[in-house]
Amino acid sequence: MKILVTGGTGYIGSHTAVELQQEGFEVVIVDNLSNSSAGVIDSITAITGIRPVLEVFDLADYKKTMDFFQRHSDIQGIIHFAAYKAVGESVEQPLMYYRNNLVSLMNILEAMNSQQIPNLVFSSSCTVYGQPDELPVSEQAAVKKAESPYGNTKQISEEIISDTIRTSGLKAIALRYFNPIGAHPTALIGELPLGVPNNLMPFITQTAIGIRPQLRVFGNDYNTPDGTAIRDYIHVVDLAKAHVISVQRMIQSRMKKPFEIFNLGTGIGYSVMDVIRSFEKVSGERLNYIVVDRREGDVEQVWANPQWSNTELGWKAEKNLDEMTYSAWKWEQAYKKRSRKQ
Ligand code: UFG
């Protein structure tokens, strides 16, 4: 059974391609390589023993997208990861974000309609909840006004999908990710941010390995036990597995309604200091960090109520924080070793 993974050479996409192949799916990847490299295909092949097909083009290109789908009309389902994802950059270049993230989605939906491909898994984000009124946050919580154009593209995308489904035979599952971190246990694939990382985990590992001089902890005056902000960190392999389960749910017609939404988190909130301490414990490294002012736009605390995913989707995050930070560190070290050899 053929599944299209858009953005399949990226961080979450590559882990999902591996899990799909290991469950017996045939994987076709479309990626424009704007934030990833084609070499990831070799790593996926090394892990699974199967080489996924890669087609390099931009899904915001209508003609190329339609041409692709005509050649691959036997695709049974699509997992759509391909999107820009840097919050700060989206504030600087909103149109670039709206064009890329929304046009590519609309092209895919149109192709799904014309080729009668019924199943879409969409990569959404807990950013749609903003700072929720109640914690833990369930799928029923209100969608708050987006803090950034990036967050807005996720909200609008969910609306575009929902409206499209109302008048077509399509089905979709939106997965709202909390904070994915960590890497594959083989250390062959992981998170590879271009330039200076925005996110906490790659900044920690890059500081420890000597690429960055110092980690800045953004604020320790939040209303939390240790004063630093709290997030629900989830291992990327756990996250990837939820995509495979979602595809199976759609294909086996187990959905309760044509558009379903699930939270993907562990249900446990950890502070920035918790993550640093876990990293120091599993790596044996002392991390050089200082506390600075809060980062603009950050919410104080958010973690998931994953009950609906656990019971209805039949998925549960299995890996704990130490396993996440350990795998991220192993990946950073392995990457350094490989880069030295080249
Ligand atoms: N942090 C630091 N120092 C850093 C980087 C991050 O202290 O160098 C802190 C942040 O202030 C925050 C926590 O670490 O408290 C996590 O920050 P990340 O940037 O790793 O993650 P965010 O929660 O800000 O963002 C993530 C995704 C976004 C998504 C958002 C939704 O990266 O795509 O969750 O809440 F929009």
Side-chain angles (χ1 to χ4, degrees), residues 74-228:
D74 55 340
I75 285 170
Q76 305 283 312
I78 300 170
I79 307 182
H80 181 41
F81 293 105
Y84 293 151
K85 60 172 187 177
V87 176
E89 187 183 54
S90 78
V91 175
E92 300 299 320
Q93 302 194 62
L95 286 178
M96 187 174 104
Y97 270 66
Y98 287 117
R99 178 175 296 280
N100 186 59
N101 292 6
L102 300 181
V103 174
S104 59
L105 173 67
M106 290 189 286
N107 286 346
I108 287 170
L109 287 168
E110 233 179 279
M112 289 176 75
N113 266 332
S114 62
Q115 298 296 328
Q116 290 171 349
I117 302 167
N119 304 310
L120 175 72
V121 178
F122 178 69
S123 180
S124 191
S125 167
C126 72
T127 193
V128 302
Y129 300 120
Q131 178 60 66
D133 301 325
E134 259 179 61
L135 286 168
V137 58
S138 80
E139 292 83 352
Q140 274 70 51
V143 166
K144 294 268 178 75
K145 184 174 167 24
E147 295 267 356
S148 69
Y150 159 76
N152 208 17
T153 67
K154 292 298 176 192
Q155 294 188 4
I156 298 170
S157 293
E158 287 192 4
E159 288 171 3
I160 291 173
I161 293 169
S162 165
D163 290 344
T164 306
I165 281 174
R166 229 170 269 138
T167 58
S168 67
L170 305 185
K171 293 175 289 174
I173 294 179
L175 300 175
R176 291 178 177 164
Y177 313 153
F178 283 68
N179 287 53
I181 60 170
H184 197 265
T186 59
L188 287 168
I189 51 174
E191 190 170 8
L192 202 56
L194 276 187
V196 184
N198 293 304
N199 298 115
L200 180 62
M201 196 68 239
F203 212 107
I204 288 177
T205 55
Q206 289 197 5
T207 304
I209 211 139
I211 301 173
R212 312 279 155 212
Q214 189 173 50
L215 170 77
R216 291 176 304 156
V217 173
F218 296 132
N220 66 353
D221 56 352
Y222 284 107
N223 187 21
T224 61
D226 67 19
T228 62

Side-chain angles (χ1 to χ4, degrees), residues 2 5 54 59 61 63 72 81 89 92 97 118 136 146-147 203 232 245-246 269 278 281 289 313 323:
K2 199 194 262 190
V5 181
L54 168 68
L59 288 153
D61 184 321
K63 258 195 90 215
H72 293 275
F81 293 105
E89 187 183 54
E92 300 299 320
Y97 270 66
E147 295 267 356
F203 212 107
D232 186 336
I245 292 171
S246 299
S278 163
K281 184 174 86 182
Y289 66 86
L313 194 60
E323 290 169 298

